[in-house]
């Protein structure tokens, strides 16, 4: 499959669309990079399975379109055009003639004299030109291993190719654990299929290759002086073995291990040289797969950070690799904001109207939190919770929190004015703030982590919010004590009893 980028334009070009997933965007991490300002960093994704291609929009700012319709997910037909932002693409099959006027400035698939022939023909030992055929095999290996996908899928393809090329009984890929530096088995396969014993390979052989970073040929393993004391060779009845490092640049990523249980002297120096070249191809593909996974993880983490933290905090977290997100004690100011009478209002509106209203309301409030350098901890139904003082503290955290609360009320007045003109229902919010010690950090399971603050100070802030009336901002005496003198006009209220507290709370209304 091919994509024609900007068809009919001066900068028209063709790119190949491989099997699997390919992203489109304006940054280097994408499979198809187009540095156009209308594209998001990661704008869309193309999912190809054979002749079937699906376009998936990645919540881009300017959208993805098929015809006049903006789409989130749409299957594409051959010859069909689509648009990401302002950039046009057309999907074509490989046998579609290239556009008229195809010139040297436009890219084409590279064809070489080593491109033809099935793998089986290339592996024919009777071939009069084995050097050329081996080069063709390596070119085909590179093509096969270049398809994007998960690491384990790549390693399975490596072993499939091993059994196509060499007459071995068993094969195994071990990868280096980045934390411990130890070799860990990842995928294994036998010539006859079926399950293999957990420790079928020779640990002595793989350690020999890993520690030295060199390829090794053992034509007669039982009599090889390098394997003296290697009990596994005798227990497993290993007759011959080939083992090479998976090396990229100066780093050994793992080891590729092959053996034979039936025939000694099976492998030659030519096999070792060829397997080394093969392993280098596999290591490059593996390194690319690791890089793609890291980029994907970083993108997911960056997106998660941007949902909850202001830009300056995101930059600090990336620089420190998330260390401040470990659970620790912190003194914070917590803001709770709640929509007055939300349950009753929801019963009068259609569900879609409620969702549209919240989708208009929450982004405005979240932008205010971020503008005042707060952490947007969570949405709870119609409620919003934000924190100042974690993961990083500032001397004026309490002032920032109260200023954000006041700005929220002003911003809501502007929203209501717009809704009033549109004939949509208006809303009121009540806001409560409290300050005190909490435990702050990532809380949850391995599969679901959320940055949260836990402690009595959080509970009190929620109770204060419940006391506030529509349009009010109430703060506790603990927050008032942290504010700059005369920074806000405060009106003291009569002490208020709230659930879970024996002593009444001294509260203040923020005026203006």
């Amino acid at each position: 499959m091919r994509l024609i980028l900007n068809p009919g334009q001066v900068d028209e070009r063709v790119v190949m669309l491989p099997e699997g997933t390919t992203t489109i965007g304006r940054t280097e991490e994408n499979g198809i990079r187009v540095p156009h300002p209308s594209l998001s960093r990661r704008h869309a994704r193309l999912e190809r399975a054979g002749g079937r291609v699906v376009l998936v929009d990645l919540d881009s700012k300017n959208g993805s379109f098929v015809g006049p319709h903006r789409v989130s997910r749409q299957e594409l037909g051959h010859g069909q055009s689509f648009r990401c932002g302002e950039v046009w693409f057309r999907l074509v099959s490989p046998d579609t003639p290239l556009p008229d006027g195809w010139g040297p400035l436009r890219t084409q698939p590279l064809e070489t004299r080593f491109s033809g022939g099935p793998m089986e023909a290339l592996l024919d030992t009777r071939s009069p030109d084995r050097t050329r055929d081996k080069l063709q095999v390596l070119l085909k290996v590179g093509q096969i291993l270049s398809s994007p996908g998960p690491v384990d899928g790549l390693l399975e393809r490596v072993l499939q190719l091993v059994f196509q090329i060499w007459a071995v009984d068993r094969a195994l890929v071990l990868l280096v654990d980045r934390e411990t530096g130890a070799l860990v088995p990842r995928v294994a396969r036998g010539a006859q299929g079926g399950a293999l014993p957990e420790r079928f390979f020779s640990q002595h052989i793989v350690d020999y290759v890993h520690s030295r970073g060199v390829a090794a040929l053992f034509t007669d393993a039982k009599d090889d002086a390098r394997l003296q004391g290697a009990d596994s060779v005798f227990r497993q009845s290993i007759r011959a073995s080939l083992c090479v490092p998976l090396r990229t640049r100066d780093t050994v990523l793992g080891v590729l291990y092959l053996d034979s249980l039936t025939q000694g002297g099976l492998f030659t120096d030519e096999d070792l040289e060829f397997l080394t070249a093969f392993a280098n191809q596999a290591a490059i593909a593996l390194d690319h797969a690791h890089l793609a996974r890291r980029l994907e993880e970083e993108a997911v983490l960056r997106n998660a950070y941007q949902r909850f933290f202001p830009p300056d905090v995101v930059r600090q977290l990336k620089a420190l690799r998330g260390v401040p997100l470990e659970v620790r004690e912190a003194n914070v100011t917590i803001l709770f904001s709640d929509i007055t009478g939300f349950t009753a209002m929801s019963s009068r509106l259609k569900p879609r109207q409620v969702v549209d209203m919240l989708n208009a309301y929450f982004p405005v409030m979240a932008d205010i939190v971020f503008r005042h350098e707060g952490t947007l901890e969570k949405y709870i139904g119609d409620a919003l919770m934000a924190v100042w003082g974690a993961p990083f503290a500032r001397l004026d955290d309490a002032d920032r929190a109260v200023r954000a609360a006041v700005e929220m009320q002003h911003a809501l007045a502007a929203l209501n004015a717009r809704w009033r003109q549109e004939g949509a229902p208006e809303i009121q919010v009540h806001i409560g703030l409290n300050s005190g010690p909490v435990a702050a950090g990532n809380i949850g399971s391995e599969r679901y982590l959320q940055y949260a603050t836990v402690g009595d100070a959080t509970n009190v802030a929620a109770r204060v919010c419940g006391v506030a009336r529509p349009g009010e901002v109430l703060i506790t005496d603990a927050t008032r004590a942290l504010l700059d003198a005369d920074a806000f006009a405060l009106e003291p209220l009569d002490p208020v009893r709230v659930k879970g507290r024996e002593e009444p709370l001294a509260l203040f209304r923020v005026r203006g």
Side-chain angles (χ1 to χ4, degrees), residues 191 205 211 218 226 290 316-317 347 373 379 432 440 444 488 499:
I205 289 176
S211 62
F218 303 90
R226 293 170 295 176
H290 282 315
Q316 292 180 69
L317 289 174
S347 66
E373 303 293 329
Y379 300 123
F488 302 94
K499 184 178 179 181

Side-chain angles (χ1 to χ4, degrees), residues 471-512:
E472 284 189 338
V473 175
L474 299 187
I475 67 172
T476 62
D477 191 49
T479 299
R480 181 203 60 79
L482 298 174
L483 300 177
D484 284 345
D486 302 324
F488 302 94
L490 303 178
E491 177 186 344
L493 304 180
D494 293 335
V496 177
R497 291 190 178 274
V498 296
K499 184 178 179 181
R501 304 284 294 184
E502 294 184 0
E503 297 295 326
L505 291 176
L507 300 181
F508 297 82
R509 180 185 296 116
V510 182
R511 300 180 65 88

Side-chain angles (χ1 to χ4, degrees), residues 261-276:
L261 304 179
T262 56
Q263 185 178 348
L266 178 65
F267 306 121
T268 65
D269 289 337
E270 182 182 350
D271 288 314
L272 182 63
E273 180 182 358
F274 191 32
L275 183 63
T276 300

Side-chain angles (χ1 to χ4, degrees), residues 77-385:
H78 291 186
Q80 188 164 20
S81 296
F82 64 94
R83 176 166 61 88
C84 293
E86 298 175 9
V87 181
W88 283 92
F89 299 85
R90 185 162 76 243
L91 178 69
V92 297
S93 58
D95 54 355
T96 301
L98 294 175
D100 293 337
W102 188 253
L105 296 179
R106 298 169 183 154
T107 60
Q108 324 181 35
L110 176 65
E111 300 290 342
T112 75
R113 64 189 182 93
F114 300 114
S115 298
M119 184 78 79
E120 291 77 9
L122 298 176
L123 296 173
D124 185 355
T125 58
R126 296 168 295 179
S127 170
D129 194 345
R130 289 289 293 153
T131 301
R132 188 203 68 177
D133 288 348
K134 286 191 293 184
L135 180 56
Q136 289 188 37
V137 170
L138 292 176
L139 284 170
K140 283 192 173 292
V141 166
Q143 293 169 2
I144 293 169
L145 296 183
S146 65
S147 299
V151 170
D152 284 342
L154 169 66
L155 298 181
E156 289 287 354
R157 293 200 295 273
V158 168
L159 292 195
Q160 289 171 6
L161 289 167
V162 163
F163 282 96
Q164 280 187 268
I165 300 171
W166 287 277
V168 297
D169 290 322
R170 305 178 302 186
L172 167 73
V173 176
L174 304 95
L175 296 184
V176 175
D177 185 288
R178 295 186 177 185
E179 294 185 1
T180 65
L183 282 174
V184 179
R186 287 293 295 267
V187 294
R189 186 176 174 187
Q192 305 304 319
L196 293 172
E198 183 179 354
R199 303 292 293 184
F200 72 85
F201 59 94
S202 169
Q203 188 70 48
H204 194 104
I205 289 176
V206 299
D207 286 344
Y208 180 92
V209 170
H210 179 218
S211 62
R212 291 166 174 78
V214 298
L217 163 64
F218 303 90
T219 47
D220 193 342
K222 290 184 178 180
D223 294 331
D224 196 304
R226 293 170 295 176
L227 300 179
Q228 288 183 356
D231 295 337
S232 59
V233 171
F234 296 93
R235 286 198 310 270
Q236 299 286 344
S237 299
I238 297 172
R239 299 293 303 277
S241 177
L242 279 171
C243 191
V244 296
L246 297 169
R247 180 194 297 276
T248 176
R249 296 180 292 276
D250 296 326
T251 304
V252 175
L253 305 177
V255 165
L256 174 59
Y257 169 93
L258 288 62
D259 70 16
S260 171
L261 304 179
T262 56
Q263 185 178 348
L266 178 65
F267 306 121
T268 65
D269 289 337
E270 182 182 350
D271 288 314
L272 182 63
E273 180 182 358
F274 191 32
L275 183 63
T276 300
F278 173 89
N280 288 339
Q281 293 269 48
I284 291 171
L286 181 61
D287 191 40
H288 289 171
H290 282 315
L291 176 60
R293 186 180 64 182
R294 287 199 300 272
L295 289 173
E296 189 69 26
E297 290 173 350
E298 288 180 6
V300 170
L301 188 61
R302 184 168 61 248
N303 288 339
Y305 282 170
Q306 289 172 344
R307 288 175 58 197
F308 301 108
F309 302 111
D312 284 347
V313 173
V314 172
R315 284 191 286 271
Q316 292 180 69
L317 289 174
K318 288 174 64 179
L320 298 174
R321 298 190 178 274
V323 172
L325 300 187
E326 297 298 322
V327 177
R328 63 183 181 87
E329 290 188 359
N331 286 299
V332 301
T333 296
I334 307 111
L335 178 153
F336 266 94
S337 173
D338 207 356
I339 297 177
T340 304
F342 181 75
T343 302
M345 182 183 65
S346 299
S347 66
R348 300 191 303 270
L349 301 176
K350 295 179 180 180
R352 181 70 189 191
Q353 289 178 296
V354 176
V355 171
D356 289 344
M357 183 267 292
L358 291 177
N359 282 341
Y361 164 75
F362 277 133
V364 173
M365 301 299 118
D367 285 346
I368 293 171
V369 171
F370 291 157
R371 192 154 53 245
H372 291 277
E373 303 293 329
T375 295
L376 180 60
E377 183 169 318
K378 67 186 73 170
Y379 300 123
I380 313 167
D382 62 308
L384 175 150
M385 177 182 172

